[in-house]
Amino acid sequence: MSTQFEAWFFNNRLPQIRYMMLFTAPLYMLYGFIEFQMDLPMPELRVFFHGLFIPSILMVVFGMTYVPTFTTVMKTLLFFSPIVAIVGNLYLNVGTAAFDCFVPEIYLCMIWTLAMSGLSIRLGSLAVLVYVILTLLFHYSRDAEQPFMFLYFLWMLSSAVFGLVTAIFYRQISLSIYQQQQKLAEIADMDNLTHLLNRHAMQRYFHQSQQAQHLPISVLMIDLDYFKQVNDTFGHMVGDGLLVEFGKLLQEHVRRGDRVGRFGGEEFCVVMPNTQLTQAQTVAESLLAIIHNHHFKHVDSLTASVGVAQALTEESFEGVLTRADQALFLAKSDGRNNVKIFLPTSAVYA
């Protein structure tokens, strides 16, 4: 779930990243313009760096938020662009009288990186550590110690803490929302009585398997024989309990990649990826034997009828389901407690 959440979390932060780039770029352009008006060394380099270079990187990231294939490159730029900005700040200003005017950029970069850049907490914290190391290196390499250096680093630490707390809090809220969404999705995909997959979820699994594997997929339609008599004799409470028990029995005896669902009443379905028609028939016959030999609560034994069909190339779930239903109808008409398959080549039953 961790990988799935990380992908969900990042995708949900894309609008935030997009608008942060859109608003930060003109701020840097304004930053460069103001620097040009001040009596500072290397004014042309300052204008190029803050007024053109950094905004260009930010707008490139802005464009990448619309192209999923550039996600890795975008994260790389999100990591390095504030480092480049701070290197430029330190290179241009450490040791000058105006340095105190430019220190806030470092504080803001720390908060921005941790809380607003879209980087993971791990990468954001690593970037902030790089900022601190770079700041120390520039100060001591140029012998530019401040008289109240401890206060300077106290504000850096405070900025890092504020950004980190915000990032952790936002992530925890997002995780809670994600987990709630997962629970709601599970409930939406679940049959209320048996807790098996419902028709909609089975359809989605069929199409996912079809698109991912491009291999044969077979479908079983299973119907309990004479189940109405069970309800009439023992009542619906007993009948519901038998349906739950029957669903568990199917789940325990299908293969790992197969999915069992309930479509309502006593009708069940099994989607079997990477399964030829003859293999599905063998599984169906095995299930019938297991059902017949199982001792159900309140009812000594039950039987079932099964219809089997294999999906044609690019066939819809409804299409293969219709043919499996037709085979099931023939199995019930032919005395029940048997398996019938729909042969797609000749459009007949066997």
Side-chain angles (χ1 to χ4, degrees), residues 103-116:
V103 169
E105 182 189 2
I106 299 174
Y107 304 151
L108 289 173
C109 271
M110 288 184 161
I111 297 173
W112 187 90
T113 300
L114 286 165
M116 293 176 283

Side-chain angles (χ1 to χ4, degrees), residues 244-312:
V244 173
E245 188 177 355
F246 182 73
K248 289 180 179 178
L249 184 67
L250 291 179
Q251 277 194 310
E252 289 170 359
H253 291 92
V254 296
R255 301 167 308 174
R256 179 172 298 183
D258 300 340
R259 292 292 182 272
V260 180
R262 177 176 175 245
F263 286 180
E266 64 272 24
E267 193 172 53
F268 293 79
C269 174
V270 182
V271 172
M272 309 175 70
N274 192 22
T275 305
Q276 300 279 358
L277 190 64
T278 52
Q279 294 174 299
Q281 181 182 14
T282 300
V283 172
E285 290 170 349
S286 174
L287 286 175
L288 278 194
I290 291 167
I291 294 165
H292 180 74
N293 294 321
H294 183 78
H295 295 287
F296 292 88
K297 294 178 182 178
H298 305 290
V299 178
D300 186 33
S301 64
L302 289 172
T303 61
S305 302
V306 185
V308 187
Q310 180 182 326
L312 304 175

Side-chain angles (χ1 to χ4, degrees), residues 24 28 31 35 45-46 49-50 53-55 57-58 77-95 99 102-114 117 119 123-139 141-142 152-153 155-157 159-160:
T24 305
Y28 262 100
Y31 183 12
E35 279 187 288
L45 180 58
R46 291 172 182 276
F49 188 74
H50 287 135
F53 183 66
I54 295 296
I57 293 177
L58 296 175
L77 287 177
L78 285 169
F79 179 81
F80 284 107
S81 57
I83 294 177
V84 172
I86 286 182
V87 167
N89 183 316
L90 295 170
Y91 175 77
L92 292 168
N93 299 302
V94 169
F99 179 69
F102 294 94
V103 169
E105 182 189 2
I106 299 174
Y107 304 151
L108 289 173
C109 271
M110 288 184 161
I111 297 173
W112 187 90
T113 300
L114 286 165
S117 69
L119 290 174
L123 280 178
S125 300
L126 178 60
V128 166
L129 180 61
V130 173
Y131 305 163
V132 174
I133 293 172
L134 287 171
T135 303
L136 286 169
L137 288 175
F138 267 92
H139 274 80
S141 65
R142 295 188 179 183
Y152 174 43
F153 281 101
W155 287 119
M156 290 184 69
L157 176 62
S159 300

Side-chain angles (χ1 to χ4, degrees), residues 203-217 273-274 314:
Q203 181 180 32
R204 186 170 66 250
Y205 181 69
F206 173 87
H207 287 299
Q208 287 173 346
S209 302
Q210 194 177 48
Q211 293 169 6
Q213 301 180 17
H214 302 289
L215 296 170
I217 303 175
N274 192 22
E314 297 184 358

Side-chain angles (χ1 to χ4, degrees), residues 146-167:
Q146 302 292 325
F148 299 103
M149 196 72 172
F150 68 92
L151 190 59
Y152 174 43
F153 281 101
L154 175 63
W155 287 119
M156 290 184 69
L157 176 62
S158 300
S159 300
V161 169
F162 294 155
L164 186 60
V165 169
T166 302

